[in-house]
Amino acid sequence: MTNPQQESANLFDDSHGAGYNVRVEAFEGPLDLLLHLIRKNEVDIYDIPIAAITRQYLEYLELMKELNLDVAGDFLVMASTLLQIKSRLLLPVQADEEGGEEEEEDPRAELVRRLIEYQKYKEAAQQLEVLPLLGRDAFIRSCELPDLKELQPVDDTSDVELFELVEAFRRVLASIPVQTFHEVGSEQITIADRINDILSLLQERDGVTFEELFSEGTTRDYLIATFLAVLEICKLKMVKLTQNSSFGTIWITRAVLDAVDAREGEESP
Amino acid sequence: MTGNLKSVVESLIFVAETPLSLDRLVSILEEHERSDIRAALEELLADYEQSGRGIVLVEVAGGYQFRSRPEHADYLKRLSKTRPPKFGQSSLETLAIIAYRQPITRAEIEYLRGVDCGGILKTLLEKKLIKILGKKDVPGRPLIYGTTREFLELFSLKNLASLPTLKEIQDLAQPPVFEEQGELPLAVATGGGDTGE
Amino acid sequence: MTGNLKSVVESLIFVAETPLSLDRLVSILEEHERSDIRAALEELLADYEQSGRGIVLVEVAGGYQFRSRPEHADYLKRLSKTRPPKFGQSSLETLAIIAYRQPITRAEIEYLRGVDCGGILKTLLEKKLIKILGKKDVPGRPLIYGTTREFLELFSLKNLASLPTLKEIQDLAQPPVFEEQGELPLAVATGGGDTGE
């Protein structure tokens, strides 16, 4: 019987010890966290063992939650991306069996590109920080020159930015107590909507695959809402996640109300 | 060491907002002797004394300050003369209203801003940032205003369609949707899912 | 005469609130030849180059500006009441991406960083470190962003070309180590021995 909480503690403790809390806050986002995991595991970035990295990634999210840190939606989006990549990797490679004419790209390829690109700018940011910074390393004259009081700040180009123009307009509008300029907000997909969608799907069918839940929507909000919805109904034990190892697809099925084996219940909450 | 101390003193006087007195320098440079600081300051004064440098070090209001050479005042005034238009908040607001709501009448602008805009409209017209487009077909036939090519150039805009919309700016400040969803427990790896509803 | 011109140029750069470009100097000093002004400027640069003066003349944001010697920063901090600018990692990453990839849309930045950047973009806009360049000619016409002159000034950069060279990262510097992936059940799914390969 595994206790995921202990497991996650061990997982990180061995390499970071007491300094772990500091690390938790240091990650700038899911890509940063993934880079860290890849380094820690000493694996080739071009051949990421998705299953292991995904597991550690999810454990990390759990740890964030335990430490009462906000698990930003961006981390959840990446979680669902990882799970999608994982399930795609588990699908039988049809192209190969049919002679490999149309070789499909490795499902991990895009992620690898993003990680490498991100790493590049992360380093660039570090280089920016060590440049002589005005107001930190170098200073300019700050005295008012009394004999030149009439001189106003000068500039090679105009000092007004477009942003200021829009902000000025917004200020004007904000001061008017009329609804004239009401703008229609974009549609929002809520987690509740997606929970309802998934549950009604399960009324009609015995089970749905993880992938098909994500296939309809392409927007970020949709993916986040869907992912959170799945997590939520799992937690409420309304559904069960199972994986048929011979195909590797993750299935979401209605939970059977009668006693679920406790052990199993913990492994697939 | 005096060389470096002199350099530090030079930096301090240059950066300080007000004239720096010897006392002030001594309190800032606590690790140095007063006599050394005084010596550095005197060397510095001597350096700036010689020849017709553009920056002079003057003793003023009980302290020391760098100033521009007074003989150059005529040149320095040209700095401000060639200054591009600088916008006050009210000009910017008026310009923004015209940009986003053109064609627009003065009465409409004043309704939005709640204040008289006659003077500002005149200035904007003089600066060629706005122009009179014609007269509105309503009683009184008021003038209607719009922005000019110069306006586009000022903001490096290709055309009016390149103006950002309000919504685009507001969206920047909007927290992403998922943060509005309140507190949702993450259930991925939890062992103790105790919400047995 | 060159001596005096040099002195005038020194005054102008000293008084100007932002870096003065050669073009701007030429337009202000209309009675002088561009070549003479350039020569004066170069002499001035050479003057300030030598020895460890407390004031340095730097080329920044397409112009010239006097600044304090960076080595003295620790002393100068004792003077200022304002806190030095400080950047979080996320602001720096976003700035770096915009600096190197401009013109760039918000969606592109967020794809590269993997996180929402709306709040940071707004802050950077307010600090004038980035600006809206217009809209991209693609469906949806998203806003495109770029860095400002203030960005160059803040980071003491001559121009965008003097940004540190981007390193091409081929690898994360680790030789691939293949551990046995044997027992790595994903927490969400049961079913065991998938290797993820």
Side-chain angles (χ1 to χ4, degrees), chain A residues 4 73 142-143 146 148 150-154 158 160 165-166 171 173 176 181 191 220-221 224 231-232 235, chain B residues 15 17 65 67-68 77 79-80 83 87 89 93 96 100-101 112 154 166 169 177-178 184 186-189:
Chain A
S142 58
C143 60
L148 298 159
E150 74 269 30
L151 293 185
Q152 292 292 315
V154 289
S158 172
V160 199
L165 185 77
V166 192
R171 231 181 2 254
L173 294 192
I176 305 167
F181 304 108
I191 299 172
R220 232 176 96 77
D221 292 349
I224 294 166
L231 296 180
E232 186 63 8
K235 168 132 192 175
Chain B
V15 169
E17 275 174 56
Q65 191 173 52
R67 297 204 172 168
S68 63
K77 278 179 191 140
L79 265 179
S80 59
R83 183 165 53 93
F87 281 97
Q89 217 50 262
E93 284 181 14
Y100 282 95
R101 292 279 177 256
L112 286 171
L154 178 64
L166 263 194
I169 297 294
V177 183
F178 44 80
L184 265 167
L186 245 184
V188 176

Side-chain angles (χ1 to χ4, degrees), chain C residues 72-145:
Chain C
H72 299 164
D74 285 341
Y75 292 103
L76 298 175
K77 273 173 199 152
R78 304 179 191 173
L79 264 185
S80 76
K81 287 160 252 166
T82 51
R83 284 199 291 153
K86 206 171 178 307
F87 286 98
Q89 194 55 35
S90 48
S91 301
L92 276 174
E93 280 180 18
T94 309
L95 259 181
I97 288 170
I98 297 171
Y100 285 94
R101 296 283 291 253
Q102 58 190 309
I104 187 168
T105 67
R106 173 177 171 182
E108 287 161 350
I109 299 165
E110 291 180 342
Y111 179 76
L112 285 170
R113 288 200 62 225
V115 290
D116 180 272
C117 296
I120 289 170
L121 286 179
K122 182 126 190 295
T123 311
L124 294 176
L125 280 168
E126 281 164 357
K127 286 186 181 165
K128 285 195 169 192
L129 295 176
I130 62 168
K131 61 183 173 188
I132 297 165
L133 298 175
K135 295 190 178 184
K136 194 169 180 174
D137 260 338
V138 295
R141 298 183 51 71
L143 294 176
I144 44 177
Y145 300 91

